[in-house]
Each structure stands twice: as structure tokens, then as C-alpha cells.
């Protein structure tokens, strides 16, 4: 809705009628979008750096989930509940 307001193809009154909201709400959302749009694409200078990722823990979790999936696939296959392979 905020993008539609920025495009300017329809008036605020028309957008308010289409989306069943008050025109002041559309104006507020439009302002929020314009103020925060740079942060969405990483252009904001005041954004905090991303936390470091622990790859060892992530790899361990991937291994754990893979084992669980393999176990459950085997159990469902033996029970006749697994109809098709992925």
C-alpha cells in the first residue's frame, strides 16, 4: 500500500477506499517506508553489524537433522506410510 502511495498512480483518497483504511494511515506508512527504505538494502550507515555465525554449531545441527530425517524416512518406509521418495 505504501508503494502504491509512493507511485502516485492513485490519490490517497482512492487508496484509502480500495484498502479500507484512513488516508492518514497511508501517509504514515508511506513516511515509514521512505525513512527506512535505505536500511532494507543495507545502505544505512547506522545499522549494527551482523552477529558472527558459529559454523561449527550449524554444521552439527545439519548433521543432527539429517540423521533424524533418515531415521524417520526408514521408519515410515517400514510402516508403509511413505508413499513416494522426494
Amino acid at each position: 500500500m505504501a508503494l502504491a502511495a509512493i507511485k502516485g498512480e492513485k490519490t490517497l483518497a482512492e487508496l484509502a477506499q480500495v484498502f479500507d483504511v484512513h488516508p492518514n494511515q497511508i501517509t504514515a506508512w508511506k513516511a515509514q517506508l521512505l525513512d527506512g527504505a535505505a536500511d532494507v538494502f543495507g545502505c544505512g550507515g547506522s545499522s549494527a553489524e551482523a552477529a558472527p555465525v558459529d559454523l561449527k554449531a550449524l554444521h552439527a545441527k545439519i548433521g543432527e537433522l539429517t540423521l533424524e530425517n533418515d531415521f524417520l524416512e526408514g521408519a515410515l518406509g517400514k510402516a508403509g506410510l511413505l508413499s513416494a521418495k522426494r
Side-chain angles (χ1 to χ4, degrees), residues 2-83:
L3 286 175
I6 291 172
K7 286 181 182 179
E9 295 173 354
K10 293 184 178 183
T11 65
L12 285 178
E14 291 172 334
L15 290 172
Q17 185 176 11
V18 169
F19 293 107
D20 194 30
V21 295
H22 196 275
N24 289 342
Q25 185 64 55
I26 296 173
T27 302
W29 287 335
K30 179 181 173 183
Q32 286 176 349
L33 177 62
L34 290 174
D35 290 342
D39 293 336
V40 171
F41 299 104
C43 298
S46 64
S47 63
E49 290 187 26
V53 177
D54 184 7
L55 289 179
K56 195 171 191 176
L58 291 176
H59 286 149
K61 187 64 174 180
I62 290 170
E64 178 186 334
L65 294 174
T66 301
L67 285 174
E68 287 179 14
N69 284 340
D70 291 345
F71 172 78
L72 292 173
E73 184 179 0
L76 289 173
K78 288 179 184 177
L81 299 174
L82 189 63
S83 60

